[in-house]
Amino acid sequence: MTDQAPQAPAEDAAAPEIPGKPTSASRTTLSHIMTHNDTNLLGTVHGGVIMKLVDDAAGAVAGRHSGGPAVTASMDEMAFLEPVRVGDLVHVKAQVNWTGRTSMEVGVRVLAERWNESAPPTQVGSAYLVFAAVDADGKPRAVPPVLPETERDRRRHQEARIRRTHRLARRRAIMELRERRAAEGFAD
């Protein structure tokens, strides 16, 4: 007989902490020239085309940061600030602003410039997307913490935490309203 205490099974051990990654490690820019195929009935670039570019760039950033597959969980605050025209060179800049255990908020800025002019690009849109990292079975998996590097990164991280608080509060309020209505006999 020994005096040693029994060891806990491996599955009871705390999961190892994933080392953080700096914001710059996954930051990316996707550029695309707009053609007639991208236009809506008004002759400007369709918002859905811009949204797809935003989702593509954000997905690349989320996959890079998490080290594997990540899926779009939500998109909020998509703002179209200026119209985009045929012949504009669109730059979609994305970075991870905040990370949770399995999710990430990716901030995206959309810039446009005329393909044949040397004027600086104009910001034409912005969006915030939440991605969830998933494993091969589609189950959530842990992501590395994001490590803000600059004052701008730290501001974006703080703002992302505020947006997360608002998203969770909005979801909670909606669920409470639905439960109240169901208890009152209203069917949806």
Side-chain angles (χ1 to χ4, degrees), residues 28-68:
T28 194
T29 301
L30 171 69
S31 297
H32 187 80
I33 193 157
M34 298 292 108
T35 68
H36 289 286
N37 293 334
D38 302 316
T39 60
N40 59 27
L41 296 174
L42 299 175
T44 57
V45 173
H46 195 288
V49 170
I50 301 299
M51 289 174 74
K52 180 170 182 344
L53 293 173
V54 164
D55 191 47
D56 287 347
V61 166
R64 279 182 171 182
H65 183 82
S66 69

XYZ file of all heavy atoms in Angstrom, residues 28-68:
287
model
N -6.244 40.804 -42.482
C -6.109 40.581 -43.925
C -6.861 41.644 -44.715
O -7.731 42.332 -44.176
C -6.603 39.169 -44.319
O -6.165 38.882 -45.647
C -8.096 39.066 -44.262
N -6.513 41.764 -45.987
C -7.218 42.640 -46.923
C -7.561 41.830 -48.158
O -6.714 41.136 -48.725
C -6.349 43.846 -47.339
O -6.007 44.585 -46.176
C -7.091 44.746 -48.320
N -8.830 41.906 -48.570
C -9.310 41.272 -49.789
C -9.649 42.407 -50.753
O -10.382 43.326 -50.385
C -10.562 40.444 -49.483
C -11.337 39.865 -50.656
C -10.518 38.771 -51.322
C -12.660 39.302 -50.157
N -9.111 42.385 -51.962
C -9.385 43.424 -52.950
C -10.060 42.814 -54.166
O -9.742 41.695 -54.580
C -8.088 44.122 -53.371
O -7.509 44.780 -52.267
N -11.001 43.597 -54.730
C -11.781 43.102 -55.863
C -12.231 44.291 -56.699
O -12.701 45.294 -56.156
C -13.003 42.341 -55.338
C -13.794 41.640 -56.382
N -13.425 40.425 -56.917
C -14.941 41.989 -57.002
C -14.316 40.055 -57.803
N -15.243 40.980 -57.884
N -12.115 44.181 -58.016
C -12.604 45.255 -58.885
C -14.059 44.960 -59.259
O -14.410 43.828 -59.581
C -11.715 45.447 -60.135
C -12.055 46.752 -60.823
C -11.800 44.263 -61.058
C -10.949 47.297 -61.683
N -14.894 45.968 -59.168
C -16.332 45.807 -59.411
C -16.627 45.922 -60.906
O -16.122 46.816 -61.586
C -17.125 46.876 -58.652
C -16.970 46.806 -57.139
S -17.716 45.348 -56.418
C -16.302 44.407 -55.967
N -17.452 44.993 -61.405
C -17.810 44.967 -62.824
C -19.325 45.096 -62.983
O -20.066 45.134 -61.995
C -17.346 43.654 -63.480
O -18.121 42.578 -62.943
C -15.859 43.401 -63.240
N -19.774 45.103 -64.206
C -21.212 45.187 -64.487
C -21.984 44.007 -63.883
O -23.156 44.133 -63.568
C -21.466 45.271 -66.001
C -21.068 46.578 -66.584
N -21.807 47.726 -66.385
C -20.000 46.935 -67.336
C -21.215 48.733 -66.990
N -20.108 48.284 -67.582
N -21.333 42.877 -63.737
C -21.987 41.705 -63.130
C -22.365 41.943 -61.669
O -23.167 41.189 -61.117
C -21.085 40.473 -63.211
C -20.881 40.001 -64.621
O -21.709 40.234 -65.498
N -19.752 39.348 -64.857
N -21.769 42.958 -61.029
C -21.989 43.218 -59.610
C -23.069 44.263 -59.343
O -23.350 44.577 -58.196
C -20.677 43.709 -58.969
C -19.548 42.709 -59.133
O -19.802 41.502 -58.924
O -18.416 43.128 -59.466
N -23.692 44.803 -60.405
C -24.596 45.942 -60.212
C -26.040 45.544 -59.924
O -26.501 44.469 -60.274
C -24.586 46.870 -61.440
O -25.015 46.141 -62.583
C -23.214 47.467 -61.670
N -26.731 46.485 -59.286
C -28.168 46.337 -59.022
C -28.944 47.130 -60.083
O -28.364 47.633 -61.047
C -28.504 46.809 -57.596
C -28.116 48.258 -57.360
O -28.058 49.073 -58.288
N -27.843 48.602 -56.116
N -30.232 47.271 -59.907
C -31.069 47.977 -60.886
C -30.783 49.477 -60.954
O -31.173 50.138 -61.914
C -32.547 47.745 -60.568
C -33.001 46.283 -60.693
C -34.442 46.130 -60.224
C -32.829 45.798 -62.110
N -30.123 50.024 -59.945
C -29.772 51.448 -59.946
C -28.437 51.718 -60.626
O -28.029 52.859 -60.762
C -29.736 51.979 -58.508
C -31.053 51.894 -57.747
C -30.847 52.334 -56.297
C -32.112 52.746 -58.414
N -27.735 50.647 -61.012
C -26.452 50.821 -61.681
C -25.270 50.928 -60.733
O -24.146 51.163 -61.169
N -25.514 50.789 -59.434
C -24.417 50.751 -58.466
C -24.219 49.302 -58.024
O -25.025 48.432 -58.331
C -24.717 51.645 -57.248
O -25.946 51.235 -56.659
C -24.806 53.113 -57.664
N -23.135 49.050 -57.298
C -22.841 47.682 -56.870
C -23.869 47.247 -55.835
O -24.196 47.980 -54.902
C -21.404 47.578 -56.331
C -21.140 46.213 -55.714
C -20.411 47.852 -57.466
N -24.389 46.062 -56.024
C -25.411 45.492 -55.156
C -24.843 45.290 -53.750
O -23.719 44.812 -53.575
C -25.841 44.145 -55.742
C -27.097 43.619 -55.171
N -27.192 43.122 -53.897
C -28.333 43.514 -55.695
C -28.415 42.729 -53.660
N -29.141 42.945 -54.742
N -25.621 45.655 -52.731
C -25.200 45.488 -51.346
C -24.838 44.053 -51.009
O -23.931 43.796 -50.216
N -25.537 43.107 -51.614
C -25.248 41.697 -51.363
C -23.862 41.285 -51.838
O -23.234 40.406 -51.246
N -23.370 41.914 -52.902
C -22.022 41.635 -53.392
C -21.010 42.098 -52.352
O -20.059 41.377 -52.020
C -21.779 42.332 -54.756
C -20.316 42.258 -55.164
C -22.672 41.717 -55.824
N -21.229 43.297 -51.811
C -20.340 43.827 -50.775
C -20.415 42.939 -49.528
O -19.387 42.610 -48.921
C -20.704 45.287 -50.432
C -20.596 46.189 -51.676
C -19.838 45.804 -49.283
C -19.234 46.274 -52.290
N -21.618 42.517 -49.158
C -21.769 41.664 -47.977
C -21.032 40.339 -48.144
O -20.441 39.825 -47.187
C -23.249 41.428 -47.682
C -23.940 42.669 -47.169
S -25.717 42.475 -46.972
C -25.773 41.471 -45.500
N -21.041 39.769 -49.344
C -20.311 38.516 -49.575
C -18.814 38.739 -49.428
O -18.121 37.914 -48.815
C -20.622 37.929 -50.950
C -19.852 36.620 -51.166
C -20.263 35.865 -52.367
C -19.558 34.553 -52.581
N -18.341 34.257 -51.880
N -18.300 39.845 -49.961
C -16.879 40.145 -49.806
C -16.533 40.312 -48.326
O -15.484 39.846 -47.867
C -16.509 41.403 -50.593
C -16.591 41.297 -52.117
C -16.355 42.664 -52.754
C -15.607 40.270 -52.643
N -17.415 40.981 -47.581
C -17.218 41.180 -46.150
C -17.157 39.827 -45.443
O -16.260 39.565 -44.629
C -18.339 42.082 -45.568
C -18.416 41.995 -44.055
C -18.150 43.526 -46.028
N -18.108 38.941 -45.750
C -18.146 37.623 -45.115
C -16.920 36.796 -45.507
O -16.345 36.086 -44.671
C -19.438 36.901 -45.486
C -19.679 35.651 -44.652
O -19.536 35.714 -43.412
O -20.028 34.618 -45.234
N -16.493 36.885 -46.758
C -15.310 36.145 -47.214
C -14.059 36.600 -46.453
O -13.283 35.769 -45.966
C -15.082 36.332 -48.712
C -16.082 35.583 -49.575
O -16.820 34.719 -49.055
O -16.135 35.885 -50.792
N -13.850 37.911 -46.361
C -12.664 38.433 -45.672
C -12.721 38.097 -44.182
O -11.720 37.666 -43.600
C -12.551 39.945 -45.874
N -13.884 38.276 -43.573
C -14.027 37.973 -42.146
C -13.813 36.483 -41.882
O -13.182 36.106 -40.891
C -15.401 38.416 -41.659
N -14.307 35.633 -42.774
C -14.112 34.195 -42.622
C -12.648 33.797 -42.711
O -12.187 32.926 -41.964
N -11.909 34.441 -43.608
C -10.476 34.162 -43.722
C -9.757 34.548 -42.434
O -8.916 33.799 -41.924
C -9.881 34.911 -44.916
N -10.114 35.694 -41.892
C -9.495 36.160 -40.648
C -9.840 35.217 -39.497
O -8.972 34.831 -38.705
C -9.942 37.606 -40.341
C -9.618 38.003 -38.919
C -9.292 38.566 -41.322
N -11.103 34.820 -39.388
C -11.528 33.927 -38.306
C -10.827 32.578 -38.403
O -10.385 32.021 -37.390
C -13.048 33.751 -38.334
N -10.709 32.049 -39.617
C -10.015 30.782 -39.806
C -8.539 30.881 -39.472
O -7.970 29.981 -38.846
N -7.919 31.972 -39.877
C -6.504 32.178 -39.563
C -6.296 32.273 -38.052
O -5.386 31.667 -37.503
C -5.991 33.480 -40.181
C -5.628 33.408 -41.615
C -5.111 34.755 -42.044
N -4.553 34.699 -43.376
C -4.002 35.733 -43.971
N -3.944 36.901 -43.359
N -3.519 35.615 -45.181
N -7.142 33.081 -37.402
C -6.962 33.289 -35.961
C -7.204 31.997 -35.184
O -6.448 31.657 -34.280
C -7.883 34.395 -35.434
C -7.652 34.659 -33.985
N -6.632 35.460 -33.540
C -8.273 34.172 -32.882
C -6.633 35.473 -32.213
N -7.628 34.699 -31.792
N -8.247 31.279 -35.548
C -8.614 30.082 -34.784
C -7.810 28.853 -35.183
O -7.844 27.843 -34.491
C -10.107 29.790 -34.947
O -10.408 29.378 -36.263
N -7.105 28.935 -36.307
C -6.292 27.808 -36.745
C -7.092 26.675 -37.357
O -6.686 25.521 -37.311
N -8.261 27.001 -37.927
C -9.088 25.968 -38.544
C -10.427 26.527 -38.950
O -10.621 27.747 -38.980
